[in-house]
Amino acid sequence: MKKIYSILALAILTFASCGSNQAQEQTLRVMCYNVRNCKGMDLNLDYDRSAEVINRVKPDIVAVQELDSMTTRYEGYYALGELATRTGMKDYYAPSINYKGGKYGIGILSKEPALSLAQYPLPCRKEPRTMLVAEFEKFYFICTHLSLNEEDRTTSAGIIRDIMAKLDKPVILAGDFNATPDLESMSVFKEFCTILSNPEEKTFPADEPTRCIDYIMTNSKSITGSNPTVVFEPLASDHRPLYVDVKM
């Protein structure tokens, strides 16, 4: 009888241990999308269409680039807010420049509320760039949109590396890097990050992609990615969206 109790106790402990390990794991679908203010390749401004692309992917968190806020160019619309309303996600905006009576920049859409936010300027000789750092319970999420100039991008990579090194949780970094995988700036990122998306899949231009310039990556060995996908969407923006299923 004692032997039976011992076996039952061991089974219960094993089951409890498995349940505890599963509870500690977190799985996220991470998306990155340069939406070009929801202006498609047909030059039509369509927030519903861009939101439908995001809803189709069913992400938990999205890094979004090229967003006007209250500019005369788009009749005072707040582009990220329009997407947030249509996706049911929370929006966090980071303006890069003042533009036509409003702002222009990047943002994050998330199912879960951020615990904290921080914004850092990045160099660009044509127009200022920025990065947005959002803190969540188990990780940080960074959205960025880098310069068209390679020297600026390489400098930005060093700045991002130094900021990420000070964060006390694993980091997921996503954005429009404006760089193909073979360039020096991307080599710097590869020194401290693992690319989770597939750099062999082209993301730009959306109608007939010829190069990959959009990425999702991490600085943590505790984070793994699976199912890296560039979405077939040739019309809603000039970039194709991409996503990765992340486990931490």
Side-chain angles (χ1 to χ4, degrees):
M1 183 65 71
K2 289 183 179 180
K3 185 175 182 181
I4 293 175
Y5 284 144
S6 297
I7 293 172
L8 286 173
L10 180 61
I12 291 170
L13 287 171
T14 301
F15 180 79
S17 176
C18 290
S20 176
N21 290 336
Q22 288 174 356
Q24 291 174 2
E25 289 183 351
Q26 183 174 7
T27 301
L28 297 169
R29 175 158 288 184
V30 178
M31 184 177 186
C32 180
Y33 197 11
N34 183 326
V35 297
R36 194 170 70 161
N37 272 307
C38 305
K39 185 177 182 180
M41 296 295 283
D42 56 4
L43 303 184
N44 289 328
L45 181 67
D46 193 334
Y47 299 112
D48 289 332
R49 178 171 60 185
S50 297
E52 188 279 327
V53 175
I54 296 172
N55 287 330
R56 194 192 320 160
V57 171
K58 297 181 175 64
D60 295 287
I61 193 165
V62 191
V64 192
Q65 302 84 44
E66 296 197 17
L67 297 163
D68 273 32
S69 174
M70 317 304 286
T71 66
T72 56
R73 175 167 64 170
Y74 292 111
E75 300 180 354
Y77 281 100
Y78 169 43
L80 189 64
E82 296 294 328
L83 292 175
T85 297
R86 290 163 171 79
T87 60
M89 303 178 83
K90 296 168 179 60
D91 57 294
Y92 303 102
Y93 185 63
S96 301
I97 59 173
N98 296 322
Y99 186 75
K100 291 187 178 295
K103 307 287 185 181
Y104 174 76
I106 61 174
I108 292 171
L109 294 171
S110 174
K111 286 184 177 179
E112 297 299 321
L115 301 178
S116 69
L117 296 169
Q119 184 177 348
Y120 301 89
L122 296 174
C124 182
R125 56 201 65 198
K126 187 174 181 181
E127 69 180 41
R129 303 284 172 145
T130 193
M131 61 184 288
L132 176 60
V133 183
E135 179 188 4
F136 296 90
E137 183 182 358
K138 293 184 179 180
F139 67 100
Y140 286 90
F141 187 72
I142 297 177
C143 172
T144 193
H145 185 188
L146 301 186
S147 170
L148 293 171
N149 179 271
E150 174 63 358
E151 184 178 344
D152 290 340
R153 291 194 296 265
T154 302
T155 302
S156 295
I159 294 170
I160 293 171
R161 175 196 58 215
D162 294 344
I163 291 171
M164 289 174 65
K166 296 176 182 178
L167 300 178
D168 58 358
K169 301 174 186 178
V171 181
I172 300 170
L173 169 65
D176 175 359
F177 288 67
N178 272 316
T180 53
D182 58 307
L183 293 180
E184 179 186 355
S185 56
M186 292 307 300
S187 296
V188 177
F189 280 108
K190 291 172 187 175
E191 290 175 1
F192 63 96
C193 279
T194 299
I195 298 176
L196 301 175
S197 53
N198 183 358
E200 298 299 319
E201 288 196 70
K202 310 300 188 289
T203 61
F204 181 86
D207 52 352
E208 295 182 5
T210 59
R211 56 194 183 275
C212 176
I213 59 175
D214 304 270
Y215 304 89
I216 299 169
M217 56 184 76
T218 183
N219 69 340
S220 175
K221 293 182 179 179
S222 68
I223 293 178
T224 58
S226 62
N227 191 32
T229 302
V230 172
V231 180
F232 179 76
E233 177 45 65
L235 187 60
S237 173
D238 61 343
H239 287 243
R240 291 193 177 186
L242 60 153
Y243 69 86
V244 176
D245 291 327
V246 168
K247 181 178 288 187
M248 62 185 72

